[in-house]
Amino acid sequence: MQRIPWSTIALGSLLLISACLQGGQEVQSSPPEKSKAPLNMEQRGRILGIGGIFFKSANRDQMREWYSKHLGLADKGQGAMLPWREHGDPQKEHVTVWTVFRSSTDYFPATQPFMVNYIVDDMDALLDRLKEEGVKIDAKRMNESYGRFAWIYDVDGNKIELWQPTAKP
């Protein structure tokens, strides 16, 4: 395998960036039809981070083995646990779970190859706001020793999992 000099990579990156610009001006996408003010970050009921990445495979065991061997994501059945801390409050530790489901799982729709789980700070506040905004919300709820779960759907019908971890004493 031939090594590419860093200067070539840097030049290629600059060319890619310039391709995204038009006449020295950044290309702007057209605004959404119903643009709302961004969410107030001090408000309760917001996303704190990604709690999990779940995807399907017809060869789950081989897929887990491949990710473990080549990328170090060791999932022995409960998922690979990737710890992280909040930027604004480093004392708050979280974990992102990465796992492979069997392709036959009904945990998320058959038409959906993956599902993202988002960590939320206040499930009730978030669901109340999403209901007011007309977001499709699954009626199912789940309470476990490690937190509360709810599910919503985006405009394409993708199921999204919301997780409010149990507060640590």
Side-chain angles (χ1 to χ4, degrees), residues 47 51-52 54 107-109 112 115-128 130-131 135-144 146-154 158-165:
I47 302 297
F54 314 133
Y107 193 68
F108 48 103
Q112 192 172 325
M115 182 171 66
V116 177
N117 163 300
Y118 292 104
I119 298 174
V120 302
D121 65 348
D122 186 331
M123 183 75 74
D124 297 325
L126 178 59
L127 292 174
D128 287 346
L130 294 175
K131 183 178 180 182
V135 172
K136 181 180 176 186
I137 301 172
D138 195 311
K140 179 182 175 184
R141 298 289 180 275
M142 200 166 77
N143 293 311
E144 299 291 337
Y146 47 90
R148 298 171 56 205
F149 294 85
W151 295 267
I152 62 172
Y153 297 85
D154 67 16
N158 295 308
K159 190 174 188 179
I160 299 166
E161 186 170 69
L162 303 174
W163 169 40
Q164 182 178 344

Side-chain angles (χ1 to χ4, degrees), residues 3-167:
R3 291 185 50 183
I4 301 172
W6 71 267
S7 57
T8 303
I9 294 170
L11 179 60
S13 297
L14 287 172
L15 289 172
L16 181 60
I17 291 167
S18 66
C20 295
L21 300 176
Q22 186 177 38
Q25 300 296 319
E26 191 172 337
V27 177
Q28 299 292 321
S29 60
S30 51
E33 290 178 24
K34 291 186 176 182
S35 184
K36 291 181 74 175
L39 179 65
N40 176 357
M41 294 310 286
E42 300 302 315
Q43 167 182 359
R44 299 292 295 167
R46 62 187 176 91
I47 302 297
L48 298 175
I50 296 176
I53 304 292
F54 314 133
F55 67 98
K56 299 176 187 177
S57 174
N59 302 303
R60 185 175 85 174
D61 292 339
Q62 292 94 336
M63 186 69 83
R64 284 178 173 168
E65 209 173 287
W66 187 93
Y67 274 92
S68 178
K69 178 181 177 182
H70 299 292
L71 299 179
L73 292 171
D75 178 356
K76 295 182 172 40
Q78 300 299 316
M81 306 297 175
L82 306 166
W84 55 276
R85 296 182 182 273
E86 284 187 37
H87 177 72
D89 188 354
Q91 297 303 312
K92 289 187 180 175
E93 187 173 335
H94 297 281
V95 66
T96 298
V97 179
W98 176 97
T99 194
V100 182
F101 281 76
R102 295 189 189 287
S103 57
S104 61
T105 187
D106 60 0
Y107 193 68
F108 48 103
T111 57
Q112 192 172 325
F114 68 92
M115 182 171 66
V116 177
N117 163 300
Y118 292 104
I119 298 174
V120 302
D121 65 348
D122 186 331
M123 183 75 74
D124 297 325
L126 178 59
L127 292 174
D128 287 346
R129 190 180 78 248
L130 294 175
K131 183 178 180 182
E132 287 177 17
E133 294 171 356
V135 172
K136 181 180 176 186
I137 301 172
D138 195 311
K140 179 182 175 184
R141 298 289 180 275
M142 200 166 77
N143 293 311
E144 299 291 337
S145 62
Y146 47 90
R148 298 171 56 205
F149 294 85
W151 295 267
I152 62 172
Y153 297 85
D154 67 16
V155 295
D156 282 346
N158 295 308
K159 190 174 188 179
I160 299 166
E161 186 170 69
L162 303 174
W163 169 40
Q164 182 178 344
T166 304

